[in-house]
PDB file of all heavy atoms in Angstrom:
ATOM      1  N   MET A 280       0.830  -1.176   0.014  1.00 93.00           N
ATOM      2  CA  MET A 280      -0.010  -0.015   0.022  1.00 93.00           C
ATOM      3  C   MET A 280       0.901   1.242   0.002  1.00 93.00           C
ATOM      4  O   MET A 280       2.104   1.232   0.285  1.00 93.00           O
ATOM      5  CB  MET A 280      -0.921   0.036   1.203  1.00 93.00           C
ATOM      6  CG  MET A 280      -0.241   0.043   2.551  1.00 93.00           C
ATOM      7  SD  MET A 280      -1.391  -0.104   3.923  1.00 93.00           S
ATOM      8  CE  MET A 280      -0.283  -0.011   5.361  1.00 93.00           C
ATOM      9  N   PRO A 281       0.276   2.423  -0.329  1.00 91.00           N
ATOM     10  CA  PRO A 281       1.021   3.675  -0.217  1.00 91.00           C
ATOM     11  C   PRO A 281       1.396   3.912   1.203  1.00 91.00           C
ATOM     12  O   PRO A 281       0.661   3.614   2.146  1.00 91.00           O
ATOM     13  CB  PRO A 281       0.012   4.695  -0.737  1.00 91.00           C
ATOM     14  CG  PRO A 281      -0.992   3.940  -1.568  1.00 91.00           C
ATOM     15  CD  PRO A 281      -1.061   2.596  -0.946  1.00 91.00           C
ATOM     16  N   VAL A 282       2.542   4.619   1.419  1.00 88.00           N
ATOM     17  CA  VAL A 282       3.033   4.859   2.793  1.00 88.00           C
ATOM     18  C   VAL A 282       2.035   5.649   3.595  1.00 88.00           C
ATOM     19  O   VAL A 282       1.885   5.427   4.785  1.00 88.00           O
ATOM     20  CB  VAL A 282       4.374   5.611   2.682  1.00 88.00           C
ATOM     21  CG1 VAL A 282       4.857   6.046   4.097  1.00 88.00           C
ATOM     22  CG2 VAL A 282       5.436   4.768   2.023  1.00 88.00           C
ATOM     23  N   LYS A 283       1.256   6.584   3.005  1.00 85.00           N
ATOM     24  CA  LYS A 283       0.335   7.413   3.753  1.00 85.00           C
ATOM     25  C   LYS A 283      -0.744   6.560   4.423  1.00 85.00           C
ATOM     26  O   LYS A 283      -1.235   6.968   5.517  1.00 85.00           O
ATOM     27  CB  LYS A 283      -0.322   8.479   2.829  1.00 85.00           C
ATOM     28  CG  LYS A 283      -1.241   7.872   1.807  1.00 85.00           C
ATOM     29  CD  LYS A 283      -1.878   8.974   0.954  1.00 85.00           C
ATOM     30  CE  LYS A 283      -2.795   8.359  -0.127  1.00 85.00           C
ATOM     31  NZ  LYS A 283      -3.450   9.497  -0.970  1.00 85.00           N
ATOM     32  N   LEU A 284      -1.089   5.373   3.913  1.00 86.00           N
ATOM     33  CA  LEU A 284      -2.041   4.530   4.579  1.00 86.00           C
ATOM     34  C   LEU A 284      -1.461   3.843   5.803  1.00 86.00           C
ATOM     35  O   LEU A 284      -2.195   3.401   6.662  1.00 86.00           O
ATOM     36  CB  LEU A 284      -2.572   3.493   3.583  1.00 86.00           C
ATOM     37  CG  LEU A 284      -3.370   4.057   2.377  1.00 86.00           C
ATOM     38  CD1 LEU A 284      -3.897   2.944   1.511  1.00 86.00           C
ATOM     39  CD2 LEU A 284      -4.577   4.945   2.929  1.00 86.00           C
ATOM     40  N   GLN A 285      -0.179   3.826   5.913  1.00 85.00           N
ATOM     41  CA  GLN A 285       0.459   3.238   7.088  1.00 85.00           C
ATOM     42  C   GLN A 285       0.025   3.995   8.345  1.00 85.00           C
ATOM     43  O   GLN A 285      -0.276   3.397   9.407  1.00 85.00           O
ATOM     44  CB  GLN A 285       2.018   3.333   6.950  1.00 85.00           C
ATOM     45  CG  GLN A 285       2.771   2.633   8.025  1.00 85.00           C
ATOM     46  CD  GLN A 285       4.311   2.708   7.735  1.00 85.00           C
ATOM     47  OE1 GLN A 285       4.769   3.662   7.127  1.00 85.00           O
ATOM     48  NE2 GLN A 285       5.047   1.758   8.230  1.00 85.00           N
ATOM     49  N   ASN A 286      -0.058   5.310   8.236  1.00 81.00           N
ATOM     50  CA  ASN A 286      -0.523   6.132   9.372  1.00 81.00           C
ATOM     51  C   ASN A 286      -1.991   5.935   9.728  1.00 81.00           C
ATOM     52  O   ASN A 286      -2.404   5.976  10.904  1.00 81.00           O
ATOM     53  CB  ASN A 286      -0.246   7.611   9.061  1.00 81.00           C
ATOM     54  CG  ASN A 286       1.177   7.952   9.043  1.00 81.00           C
ATOM     55  OD1 ASN A 286       1.981   7.381   9.757  1.00 81.00           O
ATOM     56  ND2 ASN A 286       1.578   8.918   8.193  1.00 81.00           N
ATOM     57  N   SER A 287      -2.781   5.640   8.707  1.00 78.00           N
ATOM     58  CA  SER A 287      -4.236   5.364   8.907  1.00 78.00           C
ATOM     59  C   SER A 287      -4.401   4.126   9.762  1.00 78.00           C
ATOM     60  O   SER A 287      -5.230   4.064  10.731  1.00 78.00           O
ATOM     61  CB  SER A 287      -4.950   5.195   7.574  1.00 78.00           C
ATOM     62  OG  SER A 287      -4.923   6.420   6.845  1.00 78.00           O
ATOM     63  N   PHE A 288      -3.590   3.100   9.480  1.00 80.00           N
ATOM     64  CA  PHE A 288      -3.678   1.831  10.265  1.00 80.00           C
ATOM     65  C   PHE A 288      -3.160   2.083  11.702  1.00 80.00           C
ATOM     66  O   PHE A 288      -3.622   1.471  12.626  1.00 80.00           O
ATOM     67  CB  PHE A 288      -2.944   0.723   9.579  1.00 80.00           C
ATOM     68  CG  PHE A 288      -3.789  -0.028   8.523  1.00 80.00           C
ATOM     69  CD1 PHE A 288      -3.635   0.232   7.194  1.00 80.00           C
ATOM     70  CD2 PHE A 288      -4.780  -0.952   8.909  1.00 80.00           C
ATOM     71  CE1 PHE A 288      -4.399  -0.362   6.281  1.00 80.00           C
ATOM     72  CE2 PHE A 288      -5.526  -1.615   7.992  1.00 80.00           C
ATOM     73  CZ  PHE A 288      -5.346  -1.312   6.631  1.00 80.00           C
ATOM     74  N   LYS A 289      -2.188   2.940  11.798  1.00 79.00           N
ATOM     75  CA  LYS A 289      -1.639   3.207  13.199  1.00 79.00           C
ATOM     76  C   LYS A 289      -2.720   3.766  14.092  1.00 79.00           C
ATOM     77  O   LYS A 289      -2.751   3.491  15.287  1.00 79.00           O
ATOM     78  CB  LYS A 289      -0.483   4.186  13.093  1.00 79.00           C
ATOM     79  CG  LYS A 289       0.862   3.515  12.642  1.00 79.00           C
ATOM     80  CD  LYS A 289       2.022   4.508  12.689  1.00 79.00           C
ATOM     81  CE  LYS A 289       3.312   3.825  12.271  1.00 79.00           C
ATOM     82  NZ  LYS A 289       4.401   4.797  12.279  1.00 79.00           N
ATOM     83  N   LYS A 290      -3.658   4.554  13.578  1.00 72.00           N
ATOM     84  CA  LYS A 290      -4.755   5.124  14.316  1.00 72.00           C
ATOM     85  C   LYS A 290      -5.673   4.034  14.750  1.00 72.00           C
ATOM     86  O   LYS A 290      -6.339   4.204  15.794  1.00 72.00           O
ATOM     87  CB  LYS A 290      -5.500   6.191  13.489  1.00 72.00           C
ATOM     88  CG  LYS A 290      -4.621   7.430  13.164  1.00 72.00           C
ATOM     89  CD  LYS A 290      -5.423   8.427  12.340  1.00 72.00           C
ATOM     90  CE  LYS A 290      -4.563   9.629  12.081  1.00 72.00           C
ATOM     91  NZ  LYS A 290      -5.239  10.634  11.225  1.00 72.00           N
ATOM     92  N   PHE A 291      -5.742   2.967  14.054  1.00 70.00           N
ATOM     93  CA  PHE A 291      -6.557   1.833  14.428  1.00 70.00           C
ATOM     94  C   PHE A 291      -5.836   0.966  15.440  1.00 70.00           C
ATOM     95  O   PHE A 291      -6.393   0.115  16.091  1.00 70.00           O
ATOM     96  CB  PHE A 291      -6.885   0.986  13.196  1.00 70.00           C
ATOM     97  CG  PHE A 291      -7.643  -0.258  13.432  1.00 70.00           C
ATOM     98  CD1 PHE A 291      -8.909  -0.230  14.010  1.00 70.00           C
ATOM     99  CD2 PHE A 291      -7.156  -1.511  13.099  1.00 70.00           C
ATOM    100  CE1 PHE A 291      -9.574  -1.408  14.258  1.00 70.00           C
ATOM    101  CE2 PHE A 291      -7.805  -2.662  13.373  1.00 70.00           C
ATOM    102  CZ  PHE A 291      -9.091  -2.616  13.942  1.00 70.00           C
ATOM    103  N   GLY A 292      -4.539   1.199  15.608  1.00 72.00           N
ATOM    104  CA  GLY A 292      -3.762   0.444  16.576  1.00 72.00           C
ATOM    105  C   GLY A 292      -2.915  -0.659  15.882  1.00 72.00           C
ATOM    106  O   GLY A 292      -2.247  -1.487  16.651  1.00 72.00           O
ATOM    107  N   VAL A 293      -2.821  -0.674  14.558  1.00 80.00           N
ATOM    108  CA  VAL A 293      -2.024  -1.694  13.891  1.00 80.00           C
ATOM    109  C   VAL A 293      -0.849  -1.022  13.252  1.00 80.00           C
ATOM    110  O   VAL A 293      -0.971  -0.103  12.399  1.00 80.00           O
ATOM    111  CB  VAL A 293      -2.861  -2.413  12.773  1.00 80.00           C
ATOM    112  CG1 VAL A 293      -1.980  -3.424  12.052  1.00 80.00           C
ATOM    113  CG2 VAL A 293      -4.065  -3.013  13.388  1.00 80.00           C
ATOM    114  N   SER A 294       0.370  -1.429  13.629  1.00 85.00           N
ATOM    115  CA  SER A 294       1.604  -0.816  13.114  1.00 85.00           C
ATOM    116  C   SER A 294       2.211  -1.716  12.056  1.00 85.00           C
ATOM    117  O   SER A 294       2.708  -2.787  12.349  1.00 85.00           O
ATOM    118  CB  SER A 294       2.605  -0.617  14.281  1.00 85.00           C
ATOM    119  OG  SER A 294       2.132   0.338  15.184  1.00 85.00           O
ATOM    120  N   PHE A 295       2.087  -1.283  10.799  1.00 92.00           N
ATOM    121  CA  PHE A 295       2.685  -2.037   9.712  1.00 92.00           C
ATOM    122  C   PHE A 295       4.126  -1.513   9.564  1.00 92.00           C
ATOM    123  O   PHE A 295       4.403  -0.279   9.521  1.00 92.00           O
ATOM    124  CB  PHE A 295       1.970  -1.787   8.424  1.00 92.00           C
ATOM    125  CG  PHE A 295       0.709  -2.699   8.218  1.00 92.00           C
ATOM    126  CD1 PHE A 295      -0.518  -2.172   8.558  1.00 92.00           C
ATOM    127  CD2 PHE A 295       0.859  -3.954   7.841  1.00 92.00           C
ATOM    128  CE1 PHE A 295      -1.699  -2.991   8.428  1.00 92.00           C
ATOM    129  CE2 PHE A 295      -0.278  -4.766   7.732  1.00 92.00           C
ATOM    130  CZ  PHE A 295      -1.499  -4.268   8.021  1.00 92.00           C
ATOM    131  N   GLU A 296       5.109  -2.448   9.457  1.00 94.00           N
ATOM    132  CA  GLU A 296       6.461  -2.168   9.297  1.00 94.00           C
ATOM    133  C   GLU A 296       6.913  -2.457   7.872  1.00 94.00           C
ATOM    134  O   GLU A 296       6.473  -3.425   7.260  1.00 94.00           O
ATOM    135  CB  GLU A 296       7.357  -2.893  10.231  1.00 94.00           C
ATOM    136  CG  GLU A 296       6.905  -2.702  11.722  1.00 94.00           C
ATOM    137  CD  GLU A 296       7.188  -1.330  12.172  1.00 94.00           C
ATOM    138  OE1 GLU A 296       8.041  -0.662  11.633  1.00 94.00           O
ATOM    139  OE2 GLU A 296       6.514  -0.924  13.219  1.00 94.00           O
ATOM    140  N   MET A 297       7.772  -1.614   7.272  1.00 95.00           N
ATOM    141  CA  MET A 297       8.284  -1.814   5.938  1.00 95.00           C
ATOM    142  C   MET A 297       9.101  -3.109   5.885  1.00 95.00           C
ATOM    143  O   MET A 297       9.829  -3.377   6.819  1.00 95.00           O
ATOM    144  CB  MET A 297       9.178  -0.641   5.511  1.00 95.00           C
ATOM    145  CG  MET A 297       8.481   0.664   5.491  1.00 95.00           C
ATOM    146  SD  MET A 297       7.553   0.930   3.936  1.00 95.00           S
ATOM    147  CE  MET A 297       7.232   2.681   4.078  1.00 95.00           C
ATOM    148  N   LEU A 298       8.869  -3.865   4.839  1.00 97.00           N
ATOM    149  CA  LEU A 298       9.712  -5.015   4.608  1.00 97.00           C
ATOM    150  C   LEU A 298      10.912  -4.714   3.738  1.00 97.00           C
ATOM    151  O   LEU A 298      10.822  -3.811   2.849  1.00 97.00           O
ATOM    152  CB  LEU A 298       8.864  -6.112   3.874  1.00 97.00           C
ATOM    153  CG  LEU A 298       7.813  -6.843   4.723  1.00 97.00           C
ATOM    154  CD1 LEU A 298       6.904  -7.663   3.814  1.00 97.00           C
ATOM    155  CD2 LEU A 298       8.479  -7.764   5.746  1.00 97.00           C
ATOM    156  N   GLU A 299      12.002  -5.319   4.023  1.00 97.00           N
ATOM    157  CA  GLU A 299      13.216  -5.118   3.206  1.00 97.00           C
ATOM    158  C   GLU A 299      12.972  -5.663   1.783  1.00 97.00           C
ATOM    159  O   GLU A 299      12.453  -6.771   1.639  1.00 97.00           O
ATOM    160  CB  GLU A 299      14.347  -5.832   3.856  1.00 97.00           C
ATOM    161  CG  GLU A 299      15.695  -5.732   3.055  1.00 97.00           C
ATOM    162  CD  GLU A 299      16.833  -6.580   3.624  1.00 97.00           C
ATOM    163  OE1 GLU A 299      16.723  -7.013   4.758  1.00 97.00           O
ATOM    164  OE2 GLU A 299      17.809  -6.791   2.867  1.00 97.00           O
ATOM    165  N   GLU A 300      13.250  -4.823   0.804  1.00 97.00           N
ATOM    166  CA  GLU A 300      13.033  -5.200  -0.558  1.00 97.00           C
ATOM    167  C   GLU A 300      14.337  -5.488  -1.276  1.00 97.00           C
ATOM    168  O   GLU A 300      15.362  -4.811  -1.095  1.00 97.00           O
ATOM    169  CB  GLU A 300      12.357  -4.062  -1.335  1.00 97.00           C
ATOM    170  CG  GLU A 300      10.920  -3.818  -0.831  1.00 97.00           C
ATOM    171  CD  GLU A 300      10.208  -2.780  -1.697  1.00 97.00           C
ATOM    172  OE1 GLU A 300       9.927  -3.038  -2.891  1.00 97.00           O
ATOM    173  OE2 GLU A 300       9.911  -1.650  -1.142  1.00 97.00           O
ATOM    174  N   LYS A 301      14.311  -6.451  -2.156  1.00 97.00           N
ATOM    175  CA  LYS A 301      15.399  -6.796  -3.067  1.00 97.00           C
ATOM    176  C   LYS A 301      14.946  -6.464  -4.454  1.00 97.00           C
ATOM    177  O   LYS A 301      13.825  -6.180  -4.730  1.00 97.00           O
ATOM    178  CB  LYS A 301      15.814  -8.253  -2.914  1.00 97.00           C
ATOM    179  CG  LYS A 301      16.264  -8.587  -1.482  1.00 97.00           C
ATOM    180  CD  LYS A 301      16.888 -10.012  -1.438  1.00 97.00           C
ATOM    181  CE  LYS A 301      15.849 -11.091  -1.610  1.00 97.00           C
ATOM    182  NZ  LYS A 301      16.402 -12.438  -1.417  1.00 97.00           N
ATOM    183  N   GLU A 302      15.844  -6.593  -5.413  1.00 97.00           N
ATOM    184  CA  GLU A 302      15.566  -6.256  -6.779  1.00 97.00           C
ATOM    185  C   GLU A 302      14.443  -7.140  -7.331  1.00 97.00           C
ATOM    186  O   GLU A 302      14.466  -8.410  -7.091  1.00 97.00           O
ATOM    187  CB  GLU A 302      16.862  -6.415  -7.620  1.00 97.00           C
ATOM    188  CG  GLU A 302      16.650  -5.959  -9.079  1.00 97.00           C
ATOM    189  CD  GLU A 302      17.910  -6.096  -9.912  1.00 97.00           C
ATOM    190  OE1 GLU A 302      18.972  -6.419  -9.328  1.00 97.00           O
ATOM    191  OE2 GLU A 302      17.821  -5.919 -11.147  1.00 97.00           O
ATOM    192  N   LEU A 303      13.503  -6.580  -8.044  1.00 96.00           N
ATOM    193  CA  LEU A 303      12.438  -7.331  -8.585  1.00 96.00           C
ATOM    194  C   LEU A 303      12.912  -8.292  -9.675  1.00 96.00           C
ATOM    195  O   LEU A 303      13.847  -7.967 -10.487  1.00 96.00           O
ATOM    196  CB  LEU A 303      11.410  -6.413  -9.257  1.00 96.00           C
ATOM    197  CG  LEU A 303      10.613  -5.494  -8.291  1.00 96.00           C
ATOM    198  CD1 LEU A 303       9.713  -4.585  -9.077  1.00 96.00           C
ATOM    199  CD2 LEU A 303       9.804  -6.322  -7.275  1.00 96.00           C
ATOM    200  N   LEU A 304      12.299  -9.476  -9.716  1.00 97.00           N
ATOM    201  CA  LEU A 304      12.605 -10.458 -10.732  1.00 97.00           C
ATOM    202  C   LEU A 304      11.472 -10.391 -11.755  1.00 97.00           C
ATOM    203  O   LEU A 304      10.428  -9.816 -11.518  1.00 97.00           O
ATOM    204  CB  LEU A 304      12.663 -11.867 -10.124  1.00 97.00           C
ATOM    205  CG  LEU A 304      13.741 -12.050  -9.059  1.00 97.00           C
ATOM    206  CD1 LEU A 304      13.607 -13.463  -8.432  1.00 97.00           C
ATOM    207  CD2 LEU A 304      15.084 -11.813  -9.607  1.00 97.00           C
ATOM    208  N   PRO A 305      11.696 -10.921 -12.952  1.00 97.00           N
ATOM    209  CA  PRO A 305      10.655 -10.903 -13.996  1.00 97.00           C
ATOM    210  C   PRO A 305       9.311 -11.480 -13.515  1.00 97.00           C
ATOM    211  O   PRO A 305       8.251 -10.920 -13.834  1.00 97.00           O
ATOM    212  CB  PRO A 305      11.250 -11.809 -15.085  1.00 97.00           C
ATOM    213  CG  PRO A 305      12.710 -11.588 -14.949  1.00 97.00           C
ATOM    214  CD  PRO A 305      12.983 -11.521 -13.515  1.00 97.00           C
ATOM    215  N   LYS A 306       9.372 -12.465 -12.638  1.00 97.00           N
ATOM    216  CA  LYS A 306       8.057 -13.030 -12.191  1.00 97.00           C
ATOM    217  C   LYS A 306       7.280 -12.007 -11.317  1.00 97.00           C
ATOM    218  O   LYS A 306       6.008 -12.084 -11.312  1.00 97.00           O
ATOM    219  CB  LYS A 306       8.322 -14.319 -11.337  1.00 97.00           C
ATOM    220  CG  LYS A 306       9.095 -14.091 -10.021  1.00 97.00           C
ATOM    221  CD  LYS A 306       9.286 -15.388  -9.315  1.00 97.00           C
ATOM    222  CE  LYS A 306      10.028 -15.237  -7.934  1.00 97.00           C
ATOM    223  NZ  LYS A 306      10.201 -16.500  -7.246  1.00 97.00           N
ATOM    224  N   HIS A 307       7.960 -11.157 -10.575  1.00 96.00           N
ATOM    225  CA  HIS A 307       7.251 -10.181  -9.796  1.00 96.00           C
ATOM    226  C   HIS A 307       6.635  -9.112 -10.686  1.00 96.00           C
ATOM    227  O   HIS A 307       5.494  -8.676 -10.438  1.00 96.00           O
ATOM    228  CB  HIS A 307       8.242  -9.440  -8.786  1.00 96.00           C
ATOM    229  CG  HIS A 307       8.926 -10.394  -7.829  1.00 96.00           C
ATOM    230  ND1 HIS A 307      10.260 -10.614  -7.898  1.00 96.00           N
ATOM    231  CD2 HIS A 307       8.411 -11.187  -6.851  1.00 96.00           C
ATOM    232  CE1 HIS A 307      10.592 -11.499  -6.893  1.00 96.00           C
ATOM    233  NE2 HIS A 307       9.457 -11.834  -6.315  1.00 96.00           N
ATOM    234  N   ILE A 308       7.335  -8.719 -11.703  1.00 95.00           N
ATOM    235  CA  ILE A 308       6.823  -7.722 -12.656  1.00 95.00           C
ATOM    236  C   ILE A 308       5.580  -8.290 -13.364  1.00 95.00           C
ATOM    237  O   ILE A 308       4.551  -7.627 -13.582  1.00 95.00           O
ATOM    238  CB  ILE A 308       7.874  -7.261 -13.686  1.00 95.00           C
ATOM    239  CG1 ILE A 308       9.020  -6.605 -12.833  1.00 95.00           C
ATOM    240  CG2 ILE A 308       7.321  -6.356 -14.686  1.00 95.00           C
ATOM    241  CD1 ILE A 308      10.240  -6.263 -13.702  1.00 95.00           C
ATOM    242  N   ASP A 309       5.700  -9.513 -13.801  1.00 95.00           N
ATOM    243  CA  ASP A 309       4.578 -10.229 -14.469  1.00 95.00           C
ATOM    244  C   ASP A 309       3.327 -10.297 -13.604  1.00 95.00           C
ATOM    245  O   ASP A 309       2.205 -10.106 -14.010  1.00 95.00           O
ATOM    246  CB  ASP A 309       4.994 -11.626 -14.939  1.00 95.00           C
ATOM    247  CG  ASP A 309       5.990 -11.599 -16.049  1.00 95.00           C
ATOM    248  OD1 ASP A 309       6.127 -10.563 -16.678  1.00 95.00           O
ATOM    249  OD2 ASP A 309       6.600 -12.638 -16.292  1.00 95.00           O
ATOM    250  N   SER A 310       3.537 -10.550 -12.319  1.00 95.00           N
ATOM    251  CA  SER A 310       2.463 -10.737 -11.346  1.00 95.00           C
ATOM    252  C   SER A 310       1.683  -9.424 -11.146  1.00 95.00           C
ATOM    253  O   SER A 310       0.451  -9.480 -10.876  1.00 95.00           O
ATOM    254  CB  SER A 310       2.947 -11.180  -9.989  1.00 95.00           C
ATOM    255  OG  SER A 310       1.949 -11.302  -9.047  1.00 95.00           O
ATOM    256  N   ARG A 311       2.306  -8.290 -11.406  1.00 93.00           N
ATOM    257  CA  ARG A 311       1.632  -6.999 -11.227  1.00 93.00           C
ATOM    258  C   ARG A 311       0.693  -6.680 -12.372  1.00 93.00           C
ATOM    259  O   ARG A 311      -0.086  -5.741 -12.287  1.00 93.00           O
ATOM    260  CB  ARG A 311       2.665  -5.942 -11.092  1.00 93.00           C
ATOM    261  CG  ARG A 311       3.563  -6.090  -9.902  1.00 93.00           C
ATOM    262  CD  ARG A 311       4.625  -4.942  -9.821  1.00 93.00           C
ATOM    263  NE  ARG A 311       5.417  -5.095  -8.585  1.00 93.00           N
ATOM    264  CZ  ARG A 311       6.183  -4.069  -8.150  1.00 93.00           C
ATOM    265  NH1 ARG A 311       6.179  -2.888  -8.737  1.00 93.00           N
ATOM    266  NH2 ARG A 311       6.891  -4.254  -7.042  1.00 93.00           N
ATOM    267  N   GLY A 312       0.821  -7.470 -13.444  1.00 91.00           N
ATOM    268  CA  GLY A 312       0.077  -7.127 -14.674  1.00 91.00           C
ATOM    269  C   GLY A 312      -1.433  -7.065 -14.540  1.00 91.00           C
ATOM    270  O   GLY A 312      -2.073  -6.304 -15.295  1.00 91.00           O
ATOM    271  N   ILE A 313      -1.999  -7.861 -13.651  1.00 88.00           N
ATOM    272  CA  ILE A 313      -3.465  -7.910 -13.508  1.00 88.00           C
ATOM    273  C   ILE A 313      -4.102  -6.556 -13.153  1.00 88.00           C
ATOM    274  O   ILE A 313      -5.192  -6.276 -13.455  1.00 88.00           O
ATOM    275  CB  ILE A 313      -3.892  -9.033 -12.518  1.00 88.00           C
ATOM    276  CG1 ILE A 313      -5.385  -9.220 -12.605  1.00 88.00           C
ATOM    277  CG2 ILE A 313      -3.461  -8.654 -11.122  1.00 88.00           C
ATOM    278  CD1 ILE A 313      -5.871 -10.442 -11.859  1.00 88.00           C
ATOM    279  N   ILE A 314      -3.281  -5.727 -12.438  1.00 91.00           N
ATOM    280  CA  ILE A 314      -3.764  -4.462 -12.067  1.00 91.00           C
ATOM    281  C   ILE A 314      -2.607  -3.454 -12.094  1.00 91.00           C
ATOM    282  O   ILE A 314      -2.308  -2.706 -11.234  1.00 91.00           O
ATOM    283  CB  ILE A 314      -4.430  -4.454 -10.650  1.00 91.00           C
ATOM    284  CG1 ILE A 314      -5.155  -3.167 -10.364  1.00 91.00           C
ATOM    285  CG2 ILE A 314      -3.432  -4.843  -9.594  1.00 91.00           C
ATOM    286  CD1 ILE A 314      -6.030  -3.174  -9.155  1.00 91.00           C
ATOM    287  N   ALA A 315      -2.048  -3.360 -13.355  1.00 89.00           N
ATOM    288  CA  ALA A 315      -0.846  -2.560 -13.568  1.00 89.00           C
ATOM    289  C   ALA A 315      -1.135  -1.077 -13.249  1.00 89.00           C
ATOM    290  O   ALA A 315      -0.217  -0.343 -12.798  1.00 89.00           O
ATOM    291  CB  ALA A 315      -0.359  -2.759 -14.993  1.00 89.00           C
ATOM    292  N   GLY A 316      -2.363  -0.626 -13.528  1.00 91.00           N
ATOM    293  CA  GLY A 316      -2.661   0.761 -13.312  1.00 91.00           C
ATOM    294  C   GLY A 316      -2.502   1.206 -11.812  1.00 91.00           C
ATOM    295  O   GLY A 316      -2.164   2.348 -11.541  1.00 91.00           O
ATOM    296  N   TYR A 317      -2.760   0.260 -10.921  1.00 92.00           N
ATOM    297  CA  TYR A 317      -2.604   0.593  -9.476  1.00 92.00           C
ATOM    298  C   TYR A 317      -1.114   0.836  -9.175  1.00 92.00           C
ATOM    299  O   TYR A 317      -0.781   1.767  -8.430  1.00 92.00           O
ATOM    300  CB  TYR A 317      -3.122  -0.553  -8.657  1.00 92.00           C
ATOM    301  CG  TYR A 317      -3.178  -0.296  -7.167  1.00 92.00           C
ATOM    302  CD1 TYR A 317      -3.859   0.825  -6.669  1.00 92.00           C
ATOM    303  CD2 TYR A 317      -2.641  -1.178  -6.247  1.00 92.00           C
ATOM    304  CE1 TYR A 317      -3.929   1.069  -5.330  1.00 92.00           C
ATOM    305  CE2 TYR A 317      -2.702  -0.911  -4.867  1.00 92.00           C
ATOM    306  CZ  TYR A 317      -3.379   0.191  -4.422  1.00 92.00           C
ATOM    307  OH  TYR A 317      -3.417   0.422  -3.055  1.00 92.00           O
ATOM    308  N   PHE A 318      -0.231   0.033  -9.734  1.00 93.00           N
ATOM    309  CA  PHE A 318       1.186   0.194  -9.518  1.00 93.00           C
ATOM    310  C   PHE A 318       1.720   1.433 -10.254  1.00 93.00           C
ATOM    311  O   PHE A 318       2.656   2.114  -9.752  1.00 93.00           O
ATOM    312  CB  PHE A 318       1.972  -1.024  -9.978  1.00 93.00           C
ATOM    313  CG  PHE A 318       1.765  -2.215  -9.066  1.00 93.00           C
ATOM    314  CD1 PHE A 318       0.725  -3.104  -9.237  1.00 93.00           C
ATOM    315  CD2 PHE A 318       2.632  -2.456  -7.993  1.00 93.00           C
ATOM    316  CE1 PHE A 318       0.515  -4.186  -8.373  1.00 93.00           C
ATOM    317  CE2 PHE A 318       2.475  -3.512  -7.141  1.00 93.00           C
ATOM    318  CZ  PHE A 318       1.433  -4.415  -7.324  1.00 93.00           C
ATOM    319  N   ASP A 319       1.074   1.755 -11.362  1.00 91.00           N
ATOM    320  CA  ASP A 319       1.554   2.937 -12.108  1.00 91.00           C
ATOM    321  C   ASP A 319       1.172   4.256 -11.387  1.00 91.00           C
ATOM    322  O   ASP A 319       1.916   5.261 -11.436  1.00 91.00           O
ATOM    323  CB  ASP A 319       0.909   2.983 -13.461  1.00 91.00           C
ATOM    324  CG  ASP A 319       1.448   1.867 -14.444  1.00 91.00           C
ATOM    325  OD1 ASP A 319       2.503   1.365 -14.084  1.00 91.00           O
ATOM    326  OD2 ASP A 319       0.691   1.604 -15.353  1.00 91.00           O
ATOM    327  N   LYS A 320       0.030   4.252 -10.745  1.00 90.00           N
ATOM    328  CA  LYS A 320      -0.444   5.500 -10.064  1.00 90.00           C
ATOM    329  C   LYS A 320       0.021   5.669  -8.647  1.00 90.00           C
ATOM    330  O   LYS A 320      -0.090   6.831  -8.074  1.00 90.00           O
ATOM    331  CB  LYS A 320      -2.019   5.500 -10.080  1.00 90.00           C
ATOM    332  CG  LYS A 320      -2.630   5.686 -11.429  1.00 90.00           C
ATOM    333  CD  LYS A 320      -4.112   5.616 -11.370  1.00 90.00           C
ATOM    334  CE  LYS A 320      -4.763   5.972 -12.728  1.00 90.00           C
ATOM    335  NZ  LYS A 320      -4.662   7.361 -13.052  1.00 90.00           N
ATOM    336  N   HIS A 321       0.563   4.651  -8.022  1.00 90.00           N
ATOM    337  CA  HIS A 321       0.962   4.806  -6.602  1.00 90.00           C
ATOM    338  C   HIS A 321       2.316   4.205  -6.398  1.00 90.00           C
ATOM    339  O   HIS A 321       2.764   3.232  -7.071  1.00 90.00           O
ATOM    340  CB  HIS A 321      -0.064   4.037  -5.679  1.00 90.00           C
ATOM    341  CG  HIS A 321      -1.413   4.577  -5.720  1.00 90.00           C
ATOM    342  ND1 HIS A 321      -1.804   5.745  -5.143  1.00 90.00           N
ATOM    343  CD2 HIS A 321      -2.550   4.040  -6.352  1.00 90.00           C
ATOM    344  CE1 HIS A 321      -3.133   5.949  -5.372  1.00 90.00           C
ATOM    345  NE2 HIS A 321      -3.540   4.954  -6.056  1.00 90.00           N
TER     346      HIS A 321
END
């Protein structure tokens, strides 16, 4: 999700922590295709 939503969940009492990311592989890019517009806009 976008980082700004992290604060919204904190108000509910749930603290989401960022996960360490490594370089995307082709399979990750392909997986995003079903809703590519969401990844393009955010």
Side-chain angles (χ1 to χ4, degrees):
M280 62 185 180
V282 174
K283 65 179 182 180
L284 294 182
Q285 188 179 25
N286 291 328
S287 297
F288 275 101
K289 280 184 180 179
K290 291 178 180 179
F291 176 63
V293 179
S294 295
F295 279 100
E296 304 294 335
M297 299 277 193
L298 286 168
E299 179 185 344
E300 294 185 65
K301 298 189 291 186
E302 184 177 354
L303 294 176
L304 301 176
K306 65 179 182 180
H307 301 115
I308 297 172
D309 290 344
S310 179
R311 298 178 177 198
I313 189 170
I314 190 168
Y317 188 54
F318 288 89
D319 292 340
K320 288 178 176 288
H321 299 285

